[in-house]
Amino acid sequence: MSRIRVTASVIAAVAIVSAAVAFSQSPPAAKPAAAKPAATSAEAAAKKIAHGKHLSVVSVCGDCHTPGTLFGAPDFSRELSGSELGWQGPWGTSYARNLTPDMETGLGKYKEEDIVNAIKGGHRLDGSPMQPPMPWQNYATFSDADLHAIAAYLKSLPAVKHAVPDRVAPGTAATGSFLTFPAPSAWDAPRTPPPGSDAGAKKP
Ligand code: HEC
């Protein structure tokens, strides 16, 4: 019985294959190829995300944006979901933001393109200037393809709900934990004030 069935299915398979061969030989042969580009584009998307992840690791995004990293205990279950550690300097106090795709507290509302343009142009997604220590000037030298890969990786992360404290203007008291940089020695002191600040001209 089963032998007969096997034989029958072999015949059926052969029939299908020969039909396919006949079809592919007769023009136009567009249909059988249709499934291929879809698989290829999924592969390309996975490759792009993997490349973005690698760039984000070597560009140490997580040092500032993943909780615990600067204390030697990165919490990868909340990877890139922002930190409550403030950075205080002539620019005021800034907090590394939630970069996961959470709709309310992260970058969920923004398209890949918006994230690329923010990093390239040195402005936050609300259009305001990106404050230190976010080293956007360095990342702006990535190619567009690299920045798109980083943005695609950020969009592929699991969304984590975490509202980072709002940044604080110079001279206004910050709440929570923050790092303050002591005034530099004469050797280290900048000759010109850092871009975007009036430090050196007057006290904040
Ligand atoms: C040295 C610390 C530091 C590093 C490293 C860093 N960031 Fe940031 N990032 C910040 C801080 C601080 C802010 C908030 C700046 C502000 O409030 O103006 C920020 C803001 C951002 C924003 C704006 C988010 C928003 O809500 O508008 C994006 C996007 C961003 N960072 C992406 C990245 C990516 C991608 C990397 C790695 C390629 C990275 N950052 C590396 C500190 C850092």
Side-chain angles (χ1 to χ4, degrees), residues 35-155:
K36 233 187 168 184
T40 317
S41 78
E43 270 167 35
K47 230 173 144 185
K48 179 177 168 184
I49 289 169
H51 180 53
K53 178 173 185 168
H54 173 69
L55 293 176
S56 131
V57 169
V58 296
S59 307
V60 298
C61 311
D63 278 16
C64 297
H65 287 273
T66 296
T69 308
L70 291 172
F71 310 100
D75 181 354
F76 293 118
S77 71
R78 297 183 290 152
E79 192 159 22
L80 296 172
S81 62
S83 168
E84 289 170 10
L85 179 69
W87 300 81
Q88 197 170 74
W91 59 89
T93 311
S94 55
Y95 300 84
R97 318 231 7 118
N98 182 350
L99 305 181
T100 74
D102 183 63
M103 276 294 172
E104 285 142 43
T105 63
L107 305 183
K109 290 188 200 118
Y110 300 100
K111 292 201 225 55
E112 187 180 301
E113 188 77 28
D114 298 328
I115 300 172
V116 169
N117 290 336
I119 296 174
K120 259 167 92 171
H123 53 77
R124 283 234 325 243
L125 286 143
D126 62 7
S128 60
M130 193 95 80
Q131 302 292 0
M134 167 65 191
W136 66 270
Q137 293 91 340
N138 303 344
Y139 306 145
T141 66
F142 274 129
S143 69
D144 277 9
D146 283 346
L147 285 172
H148 273 275
I150 292 173
Y153 165 59
L154 296 180
K155 297 217 56 99

Side-chain angles (χ1 to χ4, degrees), residues 146-172:
D146 283 346
L147 285 172
H148 273 275
I150 292 173
Y153 165 59
L154 296 180
K155 297 217 56 99
S156 78
L157 290 167
V160 177
K161 192 169 284 306
H162 175 232
V164 165
D166 285 335
R167 64 185 163 193
V168 176
T172 309

Side-chain angles (χ1 to χ4, degrees), residues 170-199:
T172 309
T175 50
S177 320
F178 54 85
L179 283 165
T180 309
F181 294 96
S185 72
W187 174 260
D188 281 345
R191 282 160 193 252
T192 48
S197 86
D198 57 1

